[in-house]
Amino acid sequence: MKKTLFLGALLTLLFVQCGKDNDPFLIKQGAIGNLTKNVQMKQIDSIFAQDSIVRLNPIADALGTQGEVEIYEKGGKKLLLLSPDNESDPTSVITNVQVFDERYETEKGLNMNSTFKTVKENYTIAAIESTINAVVVFLENSDIFITIDKKQLPENLRYDSNAKIEVTQIPDEATFKYFMIGWDAED
């Protein structure tokens, strides 16, 4: 009886673990769902065969998927925007992914609907860069970077693109304007 219970518990654990590895919405280092940083644009059709692929800049006489593409569920919900290293090369790898669906999340629960508090509690911030209208937050040892609209910052920081913004100056309740994954083409 104990042996059967142990075997049942072990099999359940294995099935749960296998399910995590195949999660189509899990963001981890070098991958987002079934999409990895080594995937070429011409492979997008097979990876997202159950979804709709919209080519944003269709290239005449193209043999495969080229240029930026948006991925939609069959029901019409926008999932991702994929940007290749070279727009005109179907063998080019993807270098940037913009996430639109909150189901895509990290093992630590970070997704596009998270707040800056979730970032601070679960990640080390590698750098914060200020732009005209936003701040870009880069996470240490992660492909993820997030953009926060400067409208969510204290007023004295909103209009100075040269201001050095510290982690403590970004409110915990700040939401993300963009939730992105960036991969280097050379890796």
Side-chain angles (χ1 to χ4, degrees), residues 110 113-121 125 128 134-135 137 146-158 165-177:
L110 185 66
N113 288 335
S114 297
T115 62
F116 191 64
K117 181 179 182 179
T118 305
V119 174
K120 287 191 325 188
E121 290 176 346
I125 296 171
I128 299 174
V135 291
V137 179
I146 57 172
T147 303
I148 297 172
D149 196 311
K150 278 192 172 178
K151 292 176 186 173
Q152 298 186 69
L153 299 180
E155 194 166 342
N156 63 322
L157 299 172
R158 292 182 194 166
I165 297 174
E166 301 293 329
V167 173
T168 56
Q169 295 172 306
I170 301 174
D172 283 350
E173 62 277 358
T175 56
F176 309 151
K177 184 175 184 176

Side-chain angles (χ1 to χ4, degrees), residues 82-131:
L82 309 177
S83 302
D85 181 47
N86 180 342
E87 294 256 339
S88 61
D89 183 3
T91 63
S92 182
V93 293
I94 298 159
T95 53
N96 283 302
V97 179
Q98 183 176 355
V99 179
F100 292 96
D101 190 311
E102 67 279 350
R103 291 175 291 176
Y104 286 101
E105 72 177 19
T106 66
E107 291 175 329
K108 295 179 180 180
L110 185 66
N111 67 39
M112 65 167 287
N113 288 335
S114 297
T115 62
F116 191 64
K117 181 179 182 179
T118 305
V119 174
K120 287 191 325 188
E121 290 176 346
N122 294 291
Y123 295 90
T124 301
I125 296 171
I128 299 174
E129 291 184 16
S130 183
T131 67

Side-chain angles (χ1 to χ4, degrees), residues 35 40-48 53 71 82 94:
L35 185 68
Q40 297 177 347
M41 288 302 292
K42 67 182 183 180
Q43 297 172 300
I44 297 300
D45 291 330
S46 61
I47 292 171
F48 294 102
I53 300 170
I71 309 296
L82 309 177
I94 298 159

